[in-house]
Amino acid sequence: GAGVSQSPSNKVTEKGKDVELRCDPISGHTALYWYRQSLGQGLEFLIYFQGNSAPDKSGLPSDRFSAERTGGSVSTLTIQRTQQEDSAVYLCASSPNLGNQPQHFGDGTRLSIL
Amino acid sequence: GQQLNQSPQSMFIQEGEDVSMNCTSSSIFNTWLWYKQDPGEGPVLLIALYKAGELTSNGRLTAQFGITRKDSFLNISASIPSDVGIYFCAGPLNAGGTSYGKLTFGQGTILTVHP
């Protein structure tokens, strides 16, 4: 489809394992954003990319979280040594650029840490 | 980040009723956004507001940018079952900014519509 695509849609893993979440933005969108949504809560901003660059990583919850983007397109969010409090829905959004334009969200990856 | 407080947390209404929800902040915002999220899906932008006092409609939805720039309201008229979902207000993480980027979200208002 033409929207933001995230995979997997659901991920269940054991505490301590590493996980990789993938986001395919809308073609041509240079800005990409990652958010986390805990059960019954609003969205919490994690990190954004302009092209392949992530100028501000201060929103990442801990040093176990990292993200990268290659080719100005696909982005991966990696969580190392997962903890139970990492369980949440991880949402990705993209926009044509960082300016005053709407963000289009994917349907998220629901991550459950056992 | 900046705190956005939404109320009510949840609403149970009959089909055909009008709905009103609001969002407040201790900081001044230059942009207010309203999103709707259906179960298992990402948020979808409903209305964007850029000027204090601005009143903008999208079908049965109307949103207003409060004159103090510290609040915003969303109204839904003549509700229908497909209005069910979670409604979020949002604004730039840097409250005084105007960019859509790096948004901060309210906690959401859960709307249930009884046929």
Side-chain angles (χ1 to χ4, degrees), chain B residues 65-82:
Chain B
F65 192 139
I67 199 72
T68 66
R69 293 196 284 160
K70 292 184 177 181
D71 57 9
S72 179
F73 303 85
L74 176 70
N75 296 317
I76 306 172
S77 63
S79 58
I80 60 178
S82 62

Side-chain angles (χ1 to χ4, degrees), chain B residues 8-71:
Chain B
Q9 290 186 343
S10 61
M11 303 181 74
F12 299 83
I13 62 170
Q14 291 293 128
E15 182 177 359
E17 290 183 359
D18 296 344
V19 171
S20 184
M21 59 190 79
N22 67 18
C23 190
T24 61
S25 172
S26 58
S27 302
I28 289 174
F29 276 75
N30 289 332
T31 299
W32 286 93
L33 308 170
W34 284 94
Y35 284 86
K36 184 192 178 204
Q37 186 176 28
D38 291 330
E41 298 184 10
V44 174
L45 182 66
L46 299 174
I47 293 179
L49 302 162
Y50 301 107
K51 295 180 184 177
E54 180 181 357
L55 188 71
T56 298
S57 293
N58 177 6
R60 293 177 297 103
L61 277 62
T62 302
Q64 183 161 24
F65 192 139
I67 199 72
T68 66
R69 293 196 284 160
K70 292 184 177 181
D71 57 9

